[in-house]
Every structure is written in C-alpha cells, then in structure tokens.
Amino acid sequence: MLQVIGKRLLMLIPTLIGLSILLFVWVRNLPGGPATALLGDKATPEAIARINEAYGFDRPLVEQYFTYVGKLLQGDFGTSTVTGRPVLEEFATRFPATLELAAVALIFAIGIGIPLGYLAARHYGRFWDHSSVVLSLIGITVPVFFLAFILKWLLAIQVPIFPTDGRQDPRINATHVTDFYVLDGILTREWDASWDALMHLILPGIALGTIPLAIIVRITRASVLEVQGADYVRTARAKGLMERTIRNRFVLRNAMLPVTTTIGLQTGLLISGAVLTETVFAFSGVGRFLRDAIFNLDYPVLQGFIIFIAVAYSLINLLVDVSYGFIDPRVRVQ
C-alpha cells in the first residue's frame, strides 16, 4: 500500500509541472500583459514599468518560469490584488468553511444516495425504482442556484426553520480554535455554537449535495443491478446463504467500486463548485472568495485556486485508489 501511495504521489509531479506551465503561459498572454491585467484602470506606463520590475516580468521567460515555480514550492502563491494579503493566507482562512460545507453535502449525498440506489435495484421495475429514477433526473436537471433560492425561500423565510445566511449567528460569542465552526463548538464544549453552525450548514449542504446525490443514486442502482446478476451471487443463493450475507458480502461490496470512484470525483467537484451555493447563502468560504476574484480580475487568487483544486483532485484520486484494496482485496492497484 505504501508503494501505491508513493507511485501516485510521484505521478502528481508531472501533473503539477504541466499545470504550472499552462498557468504561466496564461498569465503572460493576458490582454496587455500581466502588469496591465493586475493594474486594471490604474495601468499607466510608469505603473506598468514598476510592476514589471517588481514581479520580474521584464526578465527572460525561462528565468521568469523558474522563479515562478520556486515561489510555488515555497508556498508563495502571490498576493491578492484586492485584499493585499498573501493568497495562501486567504485560502487558509476560508478553506475550513468550504470543507465543512462539502462534508455536509457529501454526507447528505452518500447517506441517501447509496441506500436509495440499492432499493431501486432491489425493486427493479417497481415503485421504488421508478421514483428514484425520476428524483435523480430532477436532481441533475435543477440548477444548484435555483434550488438554493427555493430552499432558502421555503425553509428559511416562509417557514423559518433554518438560518438564511452566514456560517454562524454573530450574536453567539463562540471560540474559534480550528475555524471549523462545528468542530470548534465540540472542542470547547460550546454546544450552542456548534449546533448553530450546523444549522447554518444544512440548507447550503442540501443544495450543494443534490447533484452528487442524483449521480450516486444512478451509479449505485446500475452497479447493484449488474452485480445481482453475477454468477457468484446466484451460486451463493443456490447454496442457501442468508440474504443479509449475500447483500453485504457479495452484492454491496462488489458494487461499491464504481460508486467509490464516483464519490471521489464528486468530492472534488463539491470543493471546486461551491461558488453559487456560497454566494446565495452568503457563506464566507473559498467559493464566494473566488467569485469576488473573478469579478475583480484578481489573477493571483485565480492561479492559486486552480493549483489548489489540482492538488485536491490528485489527493482525492489517491484515496480512491487506496480504498479499492480495502473494498475488494482482489483488486491490486499497480
């Protein structure tokens, strides 16, 4: 298993090198050059000259690239042109919020998606099957921002069960240790703060997790239907094994391989696709910060976000590959 992890980490190197080249070329080919893009309306010849000298844009491209890579290896992703703070510091401040939201969305998607997909396959062609197919189609086709507005209007405004926006009620004097608000409330035993933070996560978590839920239902249903018709399942039934044993040991375990791959991909999408959800619910995470960076043409933030998502996807794929060996010992990842 350690060899598998080592190989996957080594494969991450050429991926990041290729990405760094693409980002380097992209920034250098912005309209008017990187200095003009950074300065915007303040792009006077004198200001452009100062930026070119400060950032080394007037040096040879090869030297610029290796300087750029050297800064990335040191954790220097640049400075936000809007806030004036290091990009890595901005992400470290906001990432816990996005990770909390993605975790709630993933729990919602997996907790409902896998059982519903299994029930649909078990009752193929009947009510549960048709209902799950219809619900999954609705979940895929309804835009996230529209569902977020509907949930907010219905369950936070018309029937005020959940908070309308934010991460936590500002009137609560909460102690933040890790910036994971739910966890902080547990660690400090401030149960009201933890509960309030969780309530703020429910609606955006449901909105964000709906599309992964629909996809997991479809993949689980298809996978279980395929496994149920396998020879080893029919042999197990012919030998008189208990249905619970057949379900847990033969059907679910073997059906989980494609489902695990889907969950891994959806986890990366949850982290990178929280922009609309965080905007609707005024959730101060990476997604909302990225939206502001797009509107403000904050290119250092955009570069840092792309690199961050690439690393996150690679690490998630590594966890998926490693999990194959635990789900099915016959699988040997090379």
Side-chain angles (χ1 to χ4, degrees), residues 271-305:
I271 296 174
S272 61
V275 177
L276 294 175
T277 305
E278 291 186 3
T279 300
V280 172
F281 290 97
F283 205 82
S284 57
V286 172
R288 191 180 178 197
F289 183 57
L290 178 65
R291 183 213 62 174
D292 296 337
I294 293 172
F295 281 115
N296 295 315
L297 300 179
D298 196 344
Y299 291 107
V301 171
L302 297 178
Q303 287 184 88
F305 182 79

Side-chain angles (χ1 to χ4, degrees), residues 182-203:
V182 177
L183 178 62
D184 287 343
I186 296 173
L187 293 176
T188 59
R189 299 193 177 188
E190 296 173 350
W191 309 115
D192 58 333
S194 183
W195 175 254
D196 184 73
L198 181 61
M199 293 295 286
H200 278 80
L201 286 166
I202 298 298
L203 289 186

